[in-house]
Amino acid sequence: MKQISTREIESYLQKYIACMQAHGEELMDKPMPAAEEELFALYETTGNRLKYESVYFARRKMLAVYGCLSLLEGKPEYLKKLEEVLDGICEEECWALPAHINRKEDPQWRICVDLFASETAHALSEIISGLKGRLPSALCEKVRENVFRRVLTPFMNAAAPYAKWEGGDNNWNAVCCGSIGCAAIYLMQDEPELLKPLLDRIVCSLDSYIAGFSEDGACMEGLGYFTYGMTYYTGFADMLYRYTDGAIDLMEDEKCRRIAMFQQKCYFPSGRTLSFSDGDSRDTYKMGLTCFLAMRYAGVEIPPISCAGGFDEDSCYRFMANYRDVVWTRKYLERAEKGLLPVEEDDEAADCLVLPGAQWSICRGLSGGGMAAKGGNNGESHNHNDVGSFLYLAGDEMLLTDLGAGEYTRDYFSEKRYEILCNHSFGHSVPVIDGKGQKEGTEYACSHFEADGSGRTVISFGQAYGTERVKSLTRNLCYDPAKESLQAEDVLEDREAGENPVSMKENLVTQYKPAIVGNAIHIAGRKYGCRITVEDLEGSIGFETKKHSNHRGAEEEVYCITWEVPADKEKPGTRKCRFRVEMEEI
């Protein structure tokens, strides 16, 4: 990946700040939208999260806009509006989201330390600390009282773990603990006898977060969750380092360096991104976080500037990230000007990358597209039932797709999760065995993963289907980066071949309506397309149109292409399918 210039970063930063300033002018005479009970109750009655959350995050947008502008510029009009916003946040009945509480069973539901209560506590603490002496003392005391009552005191008074996220291996741990740790340093420095054990507890919990990454640094939850969790991990690590005068450095571990390299591996040259698990194939990166990591570790690359998220890119308007998009980016530019960035010898980017711990293989083609495949298991955090799946891009068009995250509803995080298309294996390019898909749980996994970095990937994943009838199921993928072609072979071995052999259907997923002629499938995008040729086809190829509600709640059409896999005439009890994917320019 080509390293972007400091001039590009400077231009990005100017536009980022200008966007905040424009919002500052636009919202100046507008009241905060009301977080009404009717909207709050929608999740409980219908499972809909988006309507209340749109109001909640509109309020957090005002907090981010006027908090950042007040800290960065300090204009009286910004400070005055910020007072109104801070008071409004303090008057909210509950800082947590409806999806994270249970009002029927918990009489103390108003006090719940979830992701967003923690984020709010951090934002308010950093703002009043950074503007000390410039805000009314009564308001600062009100903010301080709310942060302690709603977040710090409940956490400190609870035996570890406060909730299942404490000591967990996913983003919740990093976000909650990072936020709480920062808030505590801001507000409790005059109480070292209480602050030290709290910080020790936070550091201990965050060890588990880092352990949740694979040994090669991959985040199984997806690229977006890498960004989310690491923003708060690094925010706290930076603050703790400065508070302890360098005595505690949470970034010194070698695994942290490997984690820092993960982001750049998820980008194809076109700017499209891996969408495994609850990811997004058009993800963006946080400039502040990326600059922080690039200042710390040689070899960290900044992806194309077109993929950098602007101020409005995060619909949750997280203050931690928004403020650091400015201050960390400025610091990076200052160090770059002075020649103080870590330097590593240029190394030509590999066409094919292998993350053996995650069991991911990522190949890049000349058009800017490529292919990626995964092993893993069906019990990973934010997982889909997708062991053995792959995606294929030509240019910036994902022709064989991984849908990534769907709309977050009540059902999405319930026992109905795997009935939803994007989470079910029917929504991924993996076979259907005896009419059934893969099962959820860590035991339903890839039993063997092999990739040599040349484009060849072998995945054994019969275990993911949880049926004793299957002896083995192996997928062999061979991608040619120069020709951008993919040769695939799937071989299923029946454990008890007889009168009722195991049936197998191939299932390929696309969001472009396919055209089928004989044994050929044509998928046409805007600039590129692909032709899929099925060898030794018996019967016909068909497709079914299905509906997918994407992460933003918009409905999209998905096409699942299927055909029966015949028995191997040379080897009884075996079904074998070969198909070839070749890129076509439209």
Side-chain angles (χ1 to χ4, degrees):
M1 192 186 304
K2 183 181 178 182
Q3 193 81 339
I4 64 176
S5 68
T6 55
R7 182 176 297 178
E8 289 178 286
I9 298 174
E10 287 170 351
S11 176
Y12 160 87
L13 185 57
Q14 290 171 2
K15 291 176 183 177
Y16 192 98
I17 295 172
C19 181
M20 285 197 299
Q21 292 168 334
H23 283 307
E25 295 303 316
E26 175 194 356
L27 298 171
M28 185 64 70
D29 297 323
K30 294 182 180 179
M32 295 180 75
E36 298 171 343
E37 162 62 24
E38 181 182 358
L39 293 176
F40 196 97
L42 270 181
Y43 176 77
E44 298 164 337
T45 56
T46 69
N48 181 283
R49 294 176 55 155
L50 296 180
K51 290 187 178 180
Y52 176 79
E53 290 182 10
S54 67
V55 170
Y56 181 97
F57 292 124
R59 295 168 68 88
R60 294 309 181 273
K61 175 181 179 179
M62 297 182 80
L63 178 65
V65 167
Y66 294 107
C68 288
L69 289 176
S70 295
L71 287 166
L72 295 169
E73 300 180 13
K75 293 181 179 179
E77 58 268 34
Y78 293 151
L79 289 162
K80 189 66 178 175
K81 185 67 175 181
L82 177 62
E83 292 176 24
E84 174 192 326
V85 174
L86 291 173
D87 189 69
I89 299 291
C90 288
E91 290 298 317
E92 289 176 353
E93 187 172 17
C94 180
W95 283 354
L97 293 186
H100 300 156
I101 63 175
N102 188 331
R103 295 201 289 185
K104 290 182 179 179
E105 297 183 7
D106 183 7
Q108 303 298 320
W109 60 269
R110 292 173 181 81
I111 305 299
C112 172
V113 185
D114 75 337
L115 293 169
F116 301 101
S118 302
E119 291 176 23
T120 302
H122 158 259
L124 268 57
S125 301
E126 182 161 19
I127 288 168
I128 65 168
S129 298
L131 295 171
K132 191 173 182 179
R134 304 195 66 187
L135 293 171
S137 57
L139 176 61
C140 291
E141 187 54 38
K142 184 175 185 178
V143 168
R144 180 184 174 89
E145 185 276 328
N146 271 270
V147 171
F148 272 93
R149 178 173 57 84
R150 295 175 189 256
V151 176
L152 291 181
T153 299
F155 181 76
M156 288 189 293
N157 287 348
Y162 168 84
K164 63 181 181 180
W165 52 257
E166 186 178 359
D169 61 359
N170 62 20
N171 69 91
W172 272 75
N173 184 354
V175 174
C176 294
C177 283
S179 296
I180 292 168
C182 288
I185 293 175
Y186 280 123
L187 301 184
M188 297 175 62
Q189 291 191 32
D190 59 347
E191 302 175 280
E193 73 282 358
L194 296 178
L195 180 56
K196 185 181 184 306
L198 174 58
L199 294 179
D200 289 345
R201 179 175 172 179
I202 294 292
V203 170
C204 180
S205 182
L206 288 174
D207 285 343
S208 298
Y209 168 68
I210 294 299
F213 289 82
S214 66
E215 282 306 307
D216 43 41
C219 176
M220 304 309 189
E221 298 180 277
L223 178 58
Y225 284 101
F226 160 86
T227 302
Y228 189 16
M230 283 302 289
T231 294
Y232 284 86
Y233 181 87
T234 54
F236 173 68
D238 179 48
M239 191 168 185
L240 184 64
Y241 182 85
R242 288 184 283 113
Y243 172 68
T244 62
D245 292 325
I248 302 178
D249 184 0
L250 298 185
M251 305 299 293
E252 67 179 350
D253 189 86
E254 168 60 21
K255 188 173 182 181
C256 285
R257 188 192 67 80
R258 294 195 294 272
I259 290 169
M261 304 293 177
F262 171 70
Q263 175 179 266
Q264 63 209 46
K265 296 173 182 176
C266 294
Y267 276 87
F268 291 95
S270 65
R272 293 299 293 267
T273 49
L274 283 183
S275 51
F276 293 152
S277 302
D278 275 345
D280 185 338
S281 67
R282 294 189 183 275
D283 212 338
T284 57
Y285 66 92
K286 298 302 292 181
M287 183 62 80
L289 170 65
T290 307
C291 285
F292 179 88
L293 296 174
M295 286 188 285
R296 183 61 196 260
Y297 305 110
V300 170
E301 298 173 353
I302 300 178
I305 200 73
S306 59
C307 301
F311 179 74
D312 288 322
E313 200 69 37
D314 174 15
S315 60
C316 298
Y317 292 96
R318 297 177 174 94
F319 175 82
M320 173 77 85
N322 294 143
Y323 187 51
R324 282 151 185 79
D325 273 342
V326 178
V327 296
W328 280 349
T329 304
R330 281 179 172 172
K331 190 178 229 182
Y332 175 89
L333 290 170
E334 290 169 5
R335 291 195 178 184
E337 186 178 0
K338 296 175 181 177
L340 298 177
L341 296 177
V343 178
E344 186 171 79
E345 288 186 12
D346 290 336
D347 187 17
E348 189 174 337
D351 291 328
C352 296
L353 304 170
V354 180
L355 296 172
Q359 297 187 334
W360 291 5
S361 178
I362 307 161
C363 300
R364 294 158 173 168
L366 297 177
S367 72
M371 186 278 298
K374 72 181 294 292
N377 67 73
N378 287 335
E380 297 161 350
S381 185
H382 278 274
N383 84 293
H384 297 178
N385 288 346
D386 62 352
V387 177
S389 68
F390 73 97
L391 54 87
Y392 176 89
L393 300 96
D396 69 345
E397 298 174 279
M398 191 175 287
L399 302 174
L400 291 174
T401 190
D402 184 297
L403 296 170
E407 179 185 357
Y408 282 4
T409 62
R410 180 173 54 196
D411 287 348
Y412 200 90
F413 293 101
S414 75
E415 67 279 359
K416 296 182 180 180
R417 177 180 178 88
Y418 300 101
E419 297 174 15
I420 298 170
L421 178 66
C422 64
N423 303 327
H424 198 292
S425 64
F426 289 176
H428 294 84
S429 294
V430 294
V432 177
I433 307 299
D434 275 346
K436 297 178 181 178
Q438 297 180 9
K439 295 183 178 180
E440 67 271 14
T442 55
E443 65 269 37
Y444 304 106
C446 169
S447 57
H448 176 75
F449 177 88
E450 180 184 338
D452 58 12
S454 70
R456 178 175 172 271
T457 306
V458 180
I459 306 170
S460 296
F461 61 115
Q463 185 178 322
Y465 292 82
T467 173
E468 294 182 356
R469 299 189 65 198
V470 173
K471 182 178 180 181
S472 68
L473 172 61
T474 302
R475 167 164 281 178
N476 194 319
L477 303 171
C478 191
Y479 179 81
D480 184 340
K483 296 180 180 179
E484 305 207 56
S485 63
L486 174 68
Q487 180 74 46
E489 179 182 85
D490 290 341
V491 179
L492 179 144
E493 289 191 63
D494 191 340
R495 189 174 293 279
E496 298 178 1
E499 294 183 3
N500 296 304
V502 175
S503 69
M504 175 177 169
K505 276 188 176 183
E506 286 293 354
N507 181 58
L508 300 181
V509 180
T510 182
Q511 292 188 274
Y512 298 92
K513 189 173 183 178
I516 299 168
V517 181
N519 70 333
I521 306 159
H522 295 269
I523 298 174
R526 298 175 304 279
K527 182 179 179 181
Y528 295 97
C530 68
R531 180 177 69 253
I532 303 168
T533 307
V534 181
E535 297 182 15
D536 300 321
L537 177 69
E538 294 182 7
S540 60
I541 302 170
F543 70 86
E544 183 179 356
T545 305
K546 299 183 180 181
K547 300 294 183 182
H548 165 61
S549 184
N550 69 24
H551 193 53
R552 292 167 293 282
E555 193 171 82
E556 300 175 343
E557 288 193 338
V558 176
Y559 305 96
C560 295
I561 306 165
T562 61
W563 67 91
E564 291 281 353
V565 177
D568 187 340
K569 296 174 182 177
E570 298 179 359
K571 190 173 181 182
T574 300
R575 293 184 180 275
K576 180 185 292 186
C577 176
R578 287 196 184 101
F579 58 92
R580 183 175 181 83
V581 184
E582 297 172 285
M583 185 185 74
E584 299 178 318
E585 288 200 40
I586 303 300

